[in-house]
Amino acid sequence: MEHIKNIASQFAIQGTISQISPLGNGLINDTYKITTAEPAEHDYVLQRINHHIFTDVPLLQHNIEVVTGHIRRQLEKAGTPDIDRRVLTFLPTKEGKTFYYDEEKDEYWRVSVFISNAVTIEKVDETSSYNAGNAFGNFESMLTDVADQLGETIPSFHNMELRRDQLRDVLRRDPVGRAASVAEFVNQIESYMDEMCQGERLLREGKLALRVCHCDTKVNNVMFDTEGNVLCVIDLDTVMPSLFSSDYGDFLRTAANTVAEDSPELDKIDFRMDIFRAFTRGYLETAGAFLTPLEVSLLPYAAELFPYMQCVRFLWDYVSGDHYWKCQFAEHNLVRAQNQWQLFLKAREHEEEMKEFIGECTKIYSK
């Protein structure tokens, strides 16, 4: 803990540090709460950044600085009260950077202001889905004019053509002899490949543009006050330019599945239209003002794309020999791929219903 105290001392923390304790259960970064002795001073969040995943930490922090600074200015312009609870604040080091590199241990660290009397939630229901849609749509809305100032923290993260090429390459190489056993499954997947890669084609044709997306739109990445009101979007490591489909489709992939993404009970999988409607309603209330008619028309495609893309990624890892995701049994990644494939098919069954609901929302929110 002495090492962590030394790291904390590199940042412009106000007040006397009285305690440093682990915070949360994040899977990527190690997080600690810094408690100060003085009641009038802030507490803080100290994080060790996983630079094996986020390999360009200066770029990562540049993105975060641009995004939080822009949101803060938007809130100030709108006269929003209590701004420090509505956007994350990162502290500078003695050198003026928002991260500190410990050369001896090869570690990157950052500190942000702890938002008190605030909570995150894990439960996915209609209320939380609506709130998440509203929060992420508003987040994107405030950042419509800064995409050219940001870089990709994980290059081509949601690029379907890249995932297609990765799968085809590993099937050709077949490093652990699994390609033949999934040949029929691959044929089914390939029958939709051209359609699912339309986002990248439309981008090249100039019909779509990159937008600032959160790229990790889970319910627990929205912070609420103790009365249930949305405060701000958190966990900004994956904020980067991406297609409109990223935030919308990624949320529904996890939230609208009736089972866990690695459940082998494929007959129990369905695409939850109650979650779709709630999230879509919240999202279009705030994002509808800037989405183009083409993007709105492609929202059902986005809902289908993300389970499809995840199916391709799980199958790629299975054929590769299970190096990316941790597996609990021999065919864990194959089960995951089959699960996501079934979710993709179920989403397609609801496509016309999705289009009808989106059309109804568009009429309301375009008035």
Side-chain angles (χ1 to χ4, degrees):
M1 193 59 71
E2 193 61 36
H3 168 61
I4 295 177
K5 288 182 179 178
N6 179 60
I7 294 296
S9 70
Q10 305 301 317
F11 292 86
I13 290 173
Q14 301 297 310
T16 306
I17 296 175
S18 63
Q19 183 179 1
I20 300 179
S21 54
L23 179 66
N25 55 357
L27 299 177
I28 295 178
N29 300 320
D30 298 319
T31 307
Y32 302 86
K33 181 182 178 183
I34 299 174
T35 303
T36 55
E38 298 83 2
E41 298 294 350
H42 289 295
D43 293 333
Y44 299 91
V45 176
L46 172 68
Q47 281 190 317
R48 176 166 39 211
I49 303 168
N50 188 333
H51 63 287
H52 301 292
I53 292 178
F54 302 106
T55 58
D56 189 341
V57 174
L59 172 63
L60 170 74
Q61 287 302 118
H62 165 77
N63 281 5
I64 290 174
E65 290 168 28
V66 170
V67 165
T68 55
H70 191 78
I71 290 175
R72 181 173 290 274
R73 289 188 292 274
Q74 296 275 71
L75 295 174
E76 289 171 348
K77 184 178 179 180
T80 304
D82 207 10
I83 289 178
D84 287 340
R85 290 166 55 76
R86 298 183 181 277
V87 61
L88 296 180
T89 303
F90 288 83
L91 270 61
T93 64
K94 296 172 181 177
E95 288 74 34
K97 299 179 180 179
T98 58
F99 66 92
Y100 173 75
Y101 176 58
D102 182 348
E103 188 171 355
E104 181 180 347
K105 292 184 176 292
D106 188 30
E107 294 175 344
Y108 289 86
W109 296 82
R110 65 183 171 208
V111 170
S112 61
V113 174
F114 179 80
I115 300 177
S116 60
N117 299 316
V119 297
T120 58
I121 59 175
E122 302 289 338
K123 184 179 180 181
V124 177
D125 57 19
E126 290 184 54
T127 298
S128 63
S129 296
Y130 166 80
N131 285 331
N134 205 267
F136 286 117
N138 186 54
F139 177 81
E140 293 176 12
S141 179
M142 287 191 288
L143 297 168
T144 53
D145 54 350
V146 298
D148 60 346
Q149 301 176 40
L150 306 182
E152 291 183 288
T153 53
I154 304 177
S156 301
F157 186 39
H158 288 161
N159 186 308
M160 188 60 236
E161 289 183 337
L162 170 68
R163 304 309 180 184
R164 173 200 64 194
D165 295 344
Q166 288 175 330
L167 178 62
R168 289 175 178 176
D169 175 67
V170 77
L171 287 166
R172 184 170 55 253
R173 292 186 291 106
D174 195 16
V176 293
R178 290 176 172 176
S181 67
V182 297
E184 180 54 36
F185 189 18
V186 170
N187 287 338
Q188 295 175 46
I189 291 170
E190 284 285 356
S191 68
Y192 292 93
M193 191 68 78
D194 188 62
E195 179 183 350
M196 289 297 108
C197 288
Q198 66 175 302
E200 285 74 28
R201 289 198 304 275
L202 290 170
L203 178 63
R204 284 194 296 273
E205 293 169 4
K207 297 176 182 177
L208 291 177
L210 295 178
R211 297 196 177 279
V212 178
C213 295
H214 185 276
C215 294
D216 190 17
T217 46
K218 297 182 179 65
V219 166
N220 59 10
N221 280 334
V222 178
M223 186 163 281
F224 298 83
D225 66 21
T226 53
E227 296 179 353
N229 301 304
V230 172
L231 289 175
C232 61
V233 169
I234 61 173
D235 196 358
L236 306 180
D237 289 340
T238 53
V239 173
M240 63 182 117
S242 189
L243 286 174
F244 77 98
S245 54
S246 287
D247 287 355
Y248 184 82
D250 195 27
F251 180 90
L252 291 171
R253 183 190 76 80
T254 54
N257 196 343
T258 50
V259 302
E261 70 175 18
D262 63 350
S263 171
E265 298 181 290
L266 304 184
D267 59 326
K268 294 184 178 180
I269 293 174
D270 202 354
F271 183 82
R272 291 185 59 180
M273 287 300 292
D274 59 332
I275 297 301
F276 163 83
R277 283 189 286 268
F279 181 75
T280 299
R281 184 163 53 87
Y283 184 73
L284 285 177
E285 277 185 14
T286 48
F290 69 83
L291 291 174
T292 67
L294 177 59
E295 287 171 326
V296 172
S297 73
L298 289 172
L299 289 177
Y301 156 74
E304 297 166 11
L305 171 65
F306 272 75
Y308 181 90
M309 186 187 303
Q310 198 61 38
C311 167
V312 168
R313 295 185 69 195
F314 282 142
L315 189 59
W316 159 78
D317 197 27
Y318 176 71
V319 178
S320 298
D322 306 312
H323 298 298
Y324 192 85
W325 283 280
K326 292 181 180 179
C327 293
Q328 305 302 318
F329 53 91
E331 295 193 335
H332 200 167
N333 272 323
L334 180 58
V335 168
R336 288 164 168 154
Q338 292 167 335
N339 176 298
Q340 293 297 285
W341 177 249
Q342 190 65 20
L343 181 62
F344 162 69
L345 294 177
K346 288 296 183 179
R348 287 187 70 85
E349 289 180 10
H350 291 286
E351 185 175 298
E352 290 305 314
E353 191 178 350
M354 285 192 276
K355 289 179 179 178
E356 182 177 344
F357 183 79
I358 290 167
E360 293 171 358
C361 288
T362 304
K363 290 178 183 177
I364 295 171
Y365 302 132
S366 62
K367 292 181 180 179

